Each structure stands twice: as structure tokens, then as C-alpha cells.
Amino acid sequence: MLRLYKMRRIKNDEVSFQVYCFSMNFINILILLILCICCTKSKKSTVFTALHYNIQELTTYKLQNPGKQLAEVKKAISHLKPDIFSINEIQYDLINVPSSSFKSSGENLNKLKKFLGYDYLKNQSFIIANTGKNAKRQSNGKYHTQINKKNANSYIDLVNFGLFPAQYSTGALYRFEAKKVDIIRNLRWLHFFPEDELKKFSLANGKRIPHNIELFDKSFSDTLLKINDKEVHLILLHAVPAYNFGNKNSINILRNKRQLDFLRWYVNVDGASYITAGIHPLKENSSFIIMGDLNVDINSSKPGAQSLKKLISFTQPWIKQDKMKATHPKGSLILDYILTSPDIKIIDGKILRQASSTASDHLPIWGKFEIN
């Protein structure tokens, strides 16, 4: 009997041990499942939208005295509620520019935000352009504000075209946290592209191109955003037009190409870029979104178009290339672009063709994106 009792007890102990092991395995599996669910939740993707608009000649005066143009701008875009809004051709307001009646400084982007009802976009980057920084005041202390005025050519900045300082500046509004903003404005062209011969080019008045000419007639900026705990570089560029405007020796076409060459070098999608002129390109596999009027049609024969094609071969346009149509209310030119790094998924994209030509000579472009 004792032997039988011992055998039964051993058997019962084995069963208990097996039940214990099964319970522990079940608990471990349950814990792993919970951890997996938590990890999945923490890595939930974020969907965001981006809007770009080159608003023609958006001056301090227009923002202080909104008229039909801004009414049409609001009609075209205020319903979109983007997470990122890029603006070209906005004047960076400076005191006494273009005349002593103007007293604000750096407030134009806030004025536009309020007018459009975009107050939810709490953060911003407002970048002063080089355009017009070499412009001269008239004897009455005022800058010219219209190109067709008598003797205006004597006062215009012909190097970085502009009637008055900070004309054609660049801005962005966004709801995300910005960790830092890097601005490239004073980079000398020949410091970055020393092989270029600028002597064969001239300004509209026939004078030589200055040897210290900047690469960017406006600016180049990189705002590091935090989107879904991921760093995303918002790169803004309003390139110089790839057009000569009647000056057969204009440097514009080459300058446009070189600005786009710099852009491709900077995003470093192929990992081949290295520090040049003291500037660090992005690390390989960085996330980025490029927004702006790149001022060359990708289908044209201009040298800048070839640079743009190379850039697009490594990135993603907001609309498939074969579906792109004019970004102008009139004409057929595709000049405005949103381009992203390969890791950002493009959900949707469009050109807002309903926008009036009264609002601008460019159309707004919009995209919907997803990032993990």
C-alpha cells in the first residue's frame, strides 16, 4: 500500500509540475503579446498633409490692407487645414521698408496665418531672402515698389533681383515641434562650385557678375521637425527662375541648376555627399520633405530640369510624374513641387486648379503623407 501511495504521489506531483509549467508558459506568452501590442501602438503611423503656395508679390502693404487678391487666396485654401504650409514670395517685413510708414518687423507670417484662419499652426519658420538687399533708396528715402516706374532700374538689386530688401522671402507654418532651423543664405557660389566660370555672364545693366555672388538669391533652409517621434527635415527652397528675362548673358539658368544641384547634394539620398564649404549634408537615409517653387519645368530642356530629374529619381514627388500638370493658372509650366524621402508614404496629392489667377500666378499644391 505504501509503495502504491508513493507512486500515486509522484504521479500527482508530475501532473502538478506539468500544470505549473503550462501556466508559466501561458503567462509568458501573454506578456509577450502585451509587449508586442504596446510596441505596435507606440509605432503607430502618423498621417499629415502639406500645402505649398507661391502667393504672387505678397507684400507688407497687402497684408496690412487685405484686398481681392488675399480674398481669393483664402477662398482657394483656407478649407484645407494643412499640418505644414509653405509660402513663397512673402515679404519679410522690416522697419521703414519700403518706406517710413511701415513699422513692423517679422510679423507678416503671423498676419497671413490669422487672415487664413490657420491659428492652429502654432510654430513657424520665417526666412529673410537675399532678394533686394542691394537695392537703393530714392532721394525721398523710399524704395521703388514697381518695376515699371521711371529710373527704377537704377535702384533695383540686379544681383539678387528685388526692389527692396527681403522681398520674395520664404515662410512655413506647421503644427509640429521644431528642434532647430538651419538657414543657408550667405554661401558664396564659388565656395561651393569653384569650377564655374562666372566671367562670361553679366547683369541686366551689362556689369560683371560680382565674384562674391551668393549661391542663393533668396535662401535655403532646413527645419528639423519632430513628427511621431521621428525627425523629419522640412527643406524650403524658392529657386531663381530658369529664365533670362531678355538678358542673353544672364546667369539665371546656370544659377537655377546649381541651386538644384546643391539641393540634391544636401539631402544625400545616395550617401555620396560629403562636407563641402563647411556645410554638412543630411545623413544618409534621413527623412525629409522638400517644398517650394523650384522654378524650372521638369519636362523642359533647361539644365536645371536635368538636375531636377536626378533629384526626383532618388525621391518621391507628391504626384506621379506622368500625372503632373501645370502649376500655373495659365500656361503649361510645372514649377512648384513637393518631394519626399523614400520612407515617407504618399497617400494623395493634387494641384488646386480652382484657385483664381487673381490670387497668384501660381497654383497651390497639396499632398497627404504617412510616416511611421
Side-chain angles (χ1 to χ4, degrees):
M1 288 292 293
L2 180 61
R3 180 181 178 87
L4 181 60
Y5 171 76
K6 288 182 178 180
M7 289 180 66
R8 285 178 177 174
R9 182 169 182 177
I10 291 171
K11 189 172 182 180
N12 287 338
D13 288 345
E14 288 177 349
V15 170
S16 297
F17 180 73
Q18 288 174 357
V19 170
Y20 170 78
C21 290
F22 174 79
S23 299
M24 290 303 296
N25 286 336
F26 178 78
I27 292 171
N28 288 336
I29 291 170
L30 188 61
I31 290 171
L32 287 173
L33 283 172
I34 292 171
L35 288 173
C36 287
I37 291 170
C38 291
C39 289
T40 301
K41 285 185 177 180
S42 67
K43 292 183 178 179
K44 185 179 179 181
S45 63
T46 293
V47 174
F48 66 95
T49 60
L51 172 68
H52 166 73
Y53 204 174
N54 182 333
I55 305 174
Q56 186 178 13
E57 306 282 353
L58 185 54
T59 62
T60 302
Y61 177 82
K62 291 178 180 178
L63 286 163
Q64 289 182 353
N65 306 276
K68 186 174 181 180
Q69 180 189 2
L70 277 175
E72 289 295 333
V73 168
K74 187 172 185 177
K75 180 180 177 182
I77 66 172
S78 61
H79 66 285
L80 291 173
K81 306 303 178 187
D83 298 300
I84 302 173
F85 180 28
S86 156
I87 308 101
N88 288 170
E89 285 201 27
I90 181 171
Q91 178 188 345
Y92 189 104
D93 48 317
L94 299 170
I95 296 173
N96 297 330
V97 176
S99 69
S100 60
S101 63
F102 296 92
K103 298 301 182 182
S104 68
S105 179
E107 290 299 320
N108 279 350
L109 201 53
N110 286 327
K111 291 174 183 175
L112 179 63
K113 176 173 72 172
K114 184 176 181 180
F115 178 81
L116 294 174
Y118 282 175
D119 291 313
Y120 68 94
L121 297 174
K122 300 298 184 183
N123 303 312
Q124 65 174 253
S125 302
F126 199 3
I127 318 299
I128 298 177
N130 283 330
T131 46
K133 76 174 187 177
N134 299 313
K136 300 175 183 177
R137 293 183 187 270
Q138 303 172 76
S139 58
N140 60 7
K142 298 179 180 180
Y143 288 99
H144 274 286
T145 56
Q146 295 180 1
I147 187 65
N148 57 357
K149 282 290 185 77
K150 186 178 180 181
N151 299 324
N153 285 336
S154 301
Y155 297 90
I156 294 172
D157 179 354
L158 295 177
V159 178
N160 302 306
F161 181 83
L163 296 166
F164 47 82
Q167 191 178 10
Y168 309 124
S169 290
T170 300
L173 301 167
Y174 39 85
R175 68 175 180 85
F176 305 107
E177 174 191 350
K179 300 184 72 173
K180 66 173 182 175
V181 180
D182 292 325
I183 300 169
I184 299 173
R185 185 171 55 237
N186 299 320
L187 173 64
R188 292 187 179 184
W189 182 329
L190 292 178
H191 283 180
F192 202 88
F193 296 106
E195 68 275 20
D196 288 345
E197 295 183 9
L198 307 185
K199 294 180 180 179
K200 59 183 178 181
F201 301 100
S202 63
L203 302 175
N205 59 7
K207 292 184 178 181
R208 285 187 175 184
I209 301 295
H211 71 279
N212 61 346
I213 184 175
E214 299 90 351
L215 176 61
F216 296 104
D217 58 313
K218 301 175 187 72
S219 64
F220 181 101
S221 66
D222 173 8
T223 301
L224 185 59
L225 300 178
K226 187 177 180 181
I227 303 177
N228 191 28
D229 294 325
K230 188 167 185 176
E231 293 184 344
V232 179
H233 296 263
L234 171 62
I235 297 172
L236 305 177
L237 173 61
H238 183 184
V240 69
Y243 304 97
N244 287 334
F245 297 104
N247 176 14
K248 65 179 182 180
N249 295 318
S250 172
I251 203 165
N252 285 359
I253 290 177
L254 178 60
R255 200 177 194 182
N256 175 270
K257 170 180 166 52
R258 286 314 200 190
Q259 290 176 358
L260 295 177
D261 287 340
F262 178 94
L263 173 59
R264 187 171 70 91
W265 168 87
Y266 187 85
V267 297
N268 194 25
V269 282
D270 55 1
S273 301
Y274 54 88
I275 298 173
T276 305
I279 298 175
H280 292 251
L282 297 185
K283 294 179 180 179
E284 189 178 3
N285 299 320
S286 294
S287 299
F288 60 81
I289 178 168
I290 301 166
M291 304 178 72
D293 173 8
L294 301 184
N295 252 322
V296 68
D297 189 310
I298 192 171
N299 299 314
S300 76
S301 60
K302 302 288 178 60
Q306 302 308 312
S307 299
L308 183 56
K309 286 177 182 177
K310 289 180 182 178
L311 174 64
I312 287 182
S313 70
F314 289 104
T315 61
Q316 303 177 108
W318 85 112
I319 292 177
K320 290 184 178 180
Q321 194 171 332
D322 60 350
K323 301 294 183 182
M324 287 184 190
K325 295 182 179 179
T327 59
H328 280 232
K330 301 175 182 178
S332 59
L333 297 175
I334 305 166
L335 301 181
D336 300 85
Y337 300 84
I338 302 176
L339 308 173
T340 76
S341 52
D343 62 308
I344 297 177
K345 181 181 178 182
I346 297 176
I347 300 174
D348 193 12
K350 59 185 175 183
I351 302 168
L352 281 74
R353 304 209 157 273
Q354 73 273 19
S356 167
S357 59
T358 302
S360 180
D361 56 350
H362 289 250
L363 293 170
I365 60 176
W366 174 92
K368 188 175 185 180
F369 309 92
E370 182 177 9
I371 190 167
N372 291 317

